Amino acid sequence: MDYFQIIDGVMHVEDMPLTRIAEEVGSPVYVYSQATLIRHAQVFREALTKAGINNPHIAFAIKANPNLAVLKVLAGEGYGADVVSGGEMRRALAAGIPAKDIVFSGVGKDDAEMAAALKAGIGQFNIESEEEGRDLAALAETLGLRADAVLRVNPDVDAQTNAKISTGKAENKFGIGLHQTPAIYGRLAALPGLNMRGVALHIGSQLLNLEPLETAFGKIGKLITDLRNAGHSISHVDLGGGLGVRYKEGDVPPHPDEYGAMVARATKDWGVQLMFEPGRVICGNAGVLVTKVIRVKPGSGNTPFVIVDAAMNDLARPALYDAWHDFEAVSPTGDRFTANIVGPVCETGDTFAMGREIDKVIAGDLAIFRTAGAYGATMASTYNSRGLVPEVLVSGDRYAVVAERIEPATILAAEHVPDWLA
Ligand code: LLP
């Protein structure tokens, strides 16, 4: 459930008409609903507790939406953070998320990032390789610390999602193969700089089917037994994120309740602190990208091009993953037509939809791309020397600009011509 709906003919976010935000902040602009974020955070947590999972540790995967205000909202719901870079760690801390509730994931943590995380006292490192574990242990020892850590396992299952966001197959760069895990775990557990306390996995994102997860959890259950039999004390298991959301009619993502029930079933004998790293399911449907139609241009045949002021640099998912984002007029007339929706960037990849039936729009109309709250603004670039889109948070009948528009002039001002060219 979200809080984006037509009231008196105009799309609102909670009690705020998008026409007002577009008028005052301009377009394109990302708009988030605080009530939706809170609701999703609560529904996810309740799904776990209802299923009997006691005191789950939930770390929001910041990569999905790192906006400081969004993090602040989720911190208010007791969420920790899953970070994958020094920059994300900084944001989590700036949002007031306690260091102990931060999990440091990511396949290429460098020494500077790990040292900063150790000094900040973050709660857990999810180690991706023996080499990384040794580097972390050495850094921790130098600092006179012992890092709480788990080993990320690659369970070799097909998450049945887009290949670019699958992370749990043997050929993917993530984690350590199951058969190698006991030996590597043993060697890392022997290092004085590490307190090895369990394992982690994350098999992919936008999962619309729970089976691959359940299969993976089954393999982890067996691994836990093997590690315990080898004398290790396993107290923490991080089950990652991955729960999909509805982008398109016909998408039927598992309800968090079904996910919770499956997790409870798969982990019932584990006797560990379970940890979670949801991203998209919390924020995906809590945001839209508001855009303005620049003009409508006839196409070949009868299908016109609707050229909007948002482009692939602002919302990269369609160009990167052939992703679908619903497109709706902010003030729909009831008329519909079939069109190609494209941005102004100079490549054919800058296409949001081809031959799609949508609300009839004309030059100057406002429209939204839905489900843009996850992996939207954060994946923006300045390609074609376009600026960075601002972000707005709505709560009831108020809104605030929570990330300013970065104008092309600001970006240009950070570039320098060397004196030999002056
Ligand atoms: N934990 C780890 C270790 C991850 O790599 C990810 C996402 C998550 C948690 C959160 O997954 P979620 O619950 O959001 O599915 N840019 C792509 C998605 C990339 C996901 C990367 N990892 C997209 O726009 O679809």
Side-chain angles (χ1 to χ4, degrees), residues 256-345:
D257 285 350
E258 293 170 63
Y259 173 77
M262 182 278 285
V263 169
R265 187 166 69 235
T267 65
K268 68 177 184 314
D269 303 322
W270 291 8
V272 296
Q273 161 79 63
L274 289 178
M275 305 175 73
F276 300 86
E277 300 170 351
R280 190 186 320 258
V281 72
I282 305 299
C283 58
N285 278 314
V288 297
L289 173 60
V290 180
T291 187
K292 187 186 264 183
V293 177
I294 297 176
R295 62 181 67 85
V296 180
K297 161 181 172 173
S300 75
N302 288 326
T303 313
F305 289 101
V306 170
I307 306 170
V308 295
D309 67 357
M312 64 188 289
N313 69 299
D314 307 312
L315 177 63
R317 303 192 68 259
L320 267 180
Y321 317 115
D322 294 323
W324 176 292
H325 287 265
D326 276 344
F327 179 87
E328 291 164 37
V330 165
S331 305
T333 58
D335 289 344
R336 311 270 293 169
F337 73 158
T338 297
N340 307 317
I341 309 166
V342 299
V345 160

Side-chain angles (χ1 to χ4, degrees), residues 311-314 316 319 344-350 379-388 408 411:
M312 64 188 289
N313 69 299
D314 307 312
V345 160
C346 294
E347 60 178 275
T348 301
D350 186 23
M379 289 175 63
S381 76
T382 60
Y383 184 42
N384 272 211
S385 289
R386 292 165 54 86
L388 290 172
I411 297 163

Side-chain angles (χ1 to χ4, degrees), residues 165 414 421:
I165 54 177
L421 292 177

Side-chain angles (χ1 to χ4, degrees), residues 83-89 104-119 122 125-129 131-140 143:
V83 306
V84 294
S85 69
E88 286 194 348
M89 181 182 81
F104 198 167
S105 300
V107 78
K109 310 171 191 75
D110 69 27
D111 282 1
E113 289 174 319
M114 291 195 289
L118 284 165
K119 286 181 195 150
I122 69 129
F125 290 83
N126 291 5
I127 295 174
E128 291 265 357
S129 63
E131 294 73 10
E132 179 188 297
R134 289 189 180 282
D135 289 345
L136 174 62
L139 285 164
L143 293 166

Side-chain angles (χ1 to χ4, degrees), residues 7 37 47 49-50 109 122 125 130 133 137 140-141 156 165 169 203 205-206 223 274 279 319 331 339 345 385 400:
I7 303 172
L37 286 168
T49 49
K50 264 192 285 185
K109 310 171 191 75
I122 69 129
F125 290 83
E130 179 169 3
E141 264 201 280
D156 193 21
I165 54 177
K169 293 219 281 182
I203 63 169
S205 193
Q206 183 54 12
L223 174 69
L274 289 178
S331 305
V345 160
S385 289

Side-chain angles (χ1 to χ4, degrees), residues 55-125:
N55 198 24
H57 184 275
I58 310 178
F60 175 62
I62 287 195
K63 62 173 81 66
N65 190 325
N67 180 276
L68 195 57
V70 168
L71 299 185
K72 195 91 192 165
V73 170
L74 296 175
E77 293 304 307
Y79 272 50
D82 169 56
V83 306
V84 294
S85 69
E88 286 194 348
M89 181 182 81
R90 202 186 188 124
R91 283 174 175 275
L93 293 169
I97 295 174
K100 68 168 178 39
D101 289 331
I102 299 177
V103 172
F104 198 167
S105 300
V107 78
K109 310 171 191 75
D110 69 27
D111 282 1
E113 289 174 319
M114 291 195 289
L118 284 165
K119 286 181 195 150
I122 69 129
Q124 177 174 294
F125 290 83

